[in-house]
Structures are given as structure tokens and as C-alpha cells.
Amino acid sequence: MIKNDLFLRVLNGEATSRPPVWMMRQAGRYLPEYIKIREKYDFFTRCQTPELASEITIQPIRRYGMDAAILFSDILVIPQAMNIEVQMVPNVGPVIPNPVRSLKDLDQVIIPEVNESLGYVFDAIKMTKEKLEGQVPLIGFAGSPWTLLCYIVQGRGSKVFELAKQFCFNEPEAAHLLLDKLTETTIEYLKGKIKAGADVIQLFDSWGGILSPEDYLKYSWPYLNRIIDALEDQVPVIMYGKGCWFAMNEFNKSKASAIGIDWTCAPKTARSLVDSKRVLQGNLDPSYLLSNPTLITNKVNQMIGEFGHQHYIVNLGHGITPKTPLDNVKAFFDTVKNYQALEV
Ligand code: CP3
């Protein structure tokens, strides 16, 4: 049983007196207790050791008591399990030493037995659930196949991922084969996460917004929709696409339980693009958390007013940035927890 089930109730379409709140990348570098663990263990050791991953997952809950936990892990554990080497280089980010650039490169890319290669993630979920003692629900996640392709082909982070696009445009057959393998693996992986105890799944299409609407419907959305369909009736799925508001109509028609948006789409615009009881999540610009508690409180109240306090989950529009002051984070969460609706 989950004691604070506000988040789950909203995802199930219920009306509530205040919206639930959590924060993308809440388990991470703005927390001194995370930095302490980071000094001792490298990134993938932190992901692969259930004791560490579960501890890091719970750190923000202990400090702020938000309404949901999100498992500490990374979207790039999927390519790793598919036999693609991924390194996390401090101050650089993810590096793929042998990027996929041709059909031939795909020979080495396997669809893994997830219990073998990703069993450590399932163990981390089980351990986190034990440590949470039912306080709040646990979110599991995966990257969209397109967003994973961006890293696998480009070989590292980028603002434009031009090599990933070049690959899709020059070798569509290879691109679709890679996207298909990623989709199959992601479905099995997420089913494993749910079996291990994840209460909700969020899909991150962090780089969907760099595609044209036409290409989004070719290279990203069909694969995401396949994943959403495969998880139907298991747990609620939140579909987050950064810069993807042009695809809102597709998201709205899908079986996702909620749609996450970034700050480039105004709350009222988002509401006008979806059915009246669609659950929306977002969308404060994370840079506001670098300002001051008074401004943050005002912006959060304004945001809740504009989305409406029902069928809504308060979040940032993307992940929290590393240098965010702790008191500002507190102001963000406290404002939502103290929110008093004029009418329920
Ligand atoms: O949200 C959470 O608190 C859960 C943990 C989480 C991490 N990565 C931990 C992490 C989640 C949900 C992710 C998802 C992720 N990883 C995405 C999609 C979400 C998004 O922000 O767009 C992407 C694109 C990645 C890939 C990735 N991992 C990058 C580009 C980087 C380096 C750049 C950066 O932001 O630091 C990572 C590393 C990473 N993943 C860190 C954390 C806490 C920082 C590394 C460190 O502390 O050493």
C-alpha cells in the first residue's frame, strides 16, 4: 500500500485538492549528499549497485518529501545492454566510442535478455521499494528510441545531432532497424521494471524537438506509441517530449496517462490542445530555480492557476540544473504542498 498516493490518483483521472509534485532529475548533482557518493564511485557503478542507486533515489525524498520518487539510473543503460559501449566522462557527458553509422555497424547490436543484462536495475527497484516503505510511488523510466539513437549515432551529446539525422536521411532502412531493436528492448525492459515494482513509467523524448513535425512522425512517435501500447493496462505512462508540442495531438490520442511538456508551450496553449481531463505535467523553466524563493513561489502559483489545479502534475519543464540552491528547491516544493485551491 502506498501512503501518499496523490500522484497515482491524479494519473488515474481523479480530482484532488492540490496537484502532486516531483522534479525531473531530482536525484542528482544539486544535492550535497549525492556529490558525496559521486566522489567515491563512478557513474555506472552508482547505477549498477542497487545499494547506491536506491540510496540516491531516496535522498531527495528524505530532504523534501515530494510526492513521487524516480529511480536513479540512466537512459543509456539500454544501449549498453545492447552491446554498445557507453562511457560517462566527467565534464563531457556520455561518450560512445564506436558509434553506429551504417547497416553493417548494426550487426553487433543485440536485443538482450533483459533479466541478464539489466537485472541490476530490477534489483535496484526492489531495494528502493523496500526502503521507501510505501511512502510515495516510484517512477521507472526509459529514453525514447529516437533520443537513444541520437547518442548511439552521434557518439556524444550535441545541440543538433546532425550525424544522427544524416544517418536517418541517408540510411533510413538501417535507422528503422536500429529504432526497432531499441523499441523491442525498451518494451521488455519496462515490463521488467514494472514487475520489479515501478508504479509509473515516464518516457523521455529529450531530443524529439529537434526533428521537424514530419520527421517526428517517422523517426520518433511510432516507436514511442508502440511502447505506450505495449504497457497499456499495466501502470500509468507519462509521455514527456522536450520541444514536442507540435505532436500534442498524437500524444492526446495515445493511451498515455499524462503528457509532460517544457516551458516553450504555455499552460493555456497546452490545455487548448488536449481533451479537458487530460493530465498534463510540467513546465517551469528550470532556470527559475536559480532566482529566489519569492519569485519561485509566485511563478509556481501562477503556473498552477494557468494549468488548473486538477488533472495536473507540477514539475519543471526539463531537469534541474546542477548549481541550483537548495533553499530555492525547497520553495518550489513547499509552494505546491501549501497550495490551497479556492474550490475543489
Ligand atoms: O531524474 C532523476 O533524478 C533520475 C535519474 C536520471 C538520470 N538521467 C541521472 C543522471 C534520469 C531520469 C536520467 C535520464 C537521462 N539521461 C536523459 C533524459 C532526461 C533529460 O534530462 O533529458 C538523458 C538525455 C540522459 C543522458 C545523460 N546522462 C546525459 C546527457 C548526461 C550528462 C549530462 C548531464 O546532465 O550531466 C547524463 C549523466 C547523468 N544522468 C547524471 C545524472 C544524475 C549526471 C552525472 C553525474 O552526476 O556524474
Side-chain angles (χ1 to χ4, degrees), residues 16 65 128 133 142 148 150 252 266 278 286 292 295:
T16 53
T128 306
E133 294 177 324
L148 293 176
C150 282
N252 186 45
R278 261 271 161 214
N292 60 76
L295 183 57

Side-chain angles (χ1 to χ4, degrees), residues 4 21-23 26 30 60-61 64-69 136 333 337:
N4 173 359
V21 59
W22 68 283
M23 209 167 61
Q26 68 189 23
Y30 68 103
I61 305 292
Y64 297 113
M66 54 283 273
D67 298 307
V136 287
F333 287 118
K337 287 199 270 180

Side-chain angles (χ1 to χ4, degrees), residues 22-30 34-35 38 41-44 46-47 56-57 60 69-76 88-94 139-144 147-148 151 156-158 161 202-207 240 242 318-322:
W22 68 283
M23 209 167 61
M24 288 189 273
R25 297 288 189 103
Q26 68 189 23
R29 290 161 299 174
Y30 68 103
Y34 173 82
I35 302 284
R38 186 170 75 163
Y41 307 95
D42 71 53
F43 184 74
F44 285 114
R46 277 175 264 146
C47 292
I56 296 170
T57 301
I70 178 162
L71 183 74
F72 175 78
S73 183
D74 202 83
I75 61 170
L76 297 171
M88 195 60 76
V89 182
N91 304 319
V92 174
I139 305 167
F141 65 89
S144 78
T147 290
L148 293 176
Y151 289 99
R156 56 177 60 219
S158 163
F161 287 100
Q202 174 154 317
L203 298 171
F204 285 91
D205 201 0
S206 305
W207 295 109
Y240 167 77
K242 183 162 187 295
H318 197 196
I320 181 173
T321 55

Side-chain angles (χ1 to χ4, degrees), residues 256-273:
S257 295
I259 302 167
I261 58 172
D262 70 277
W263 60 94
T264 62
C265 185
K268 287 188 175 165
T269 308
R271 277 275 173 240
S272 75
L273 293 171

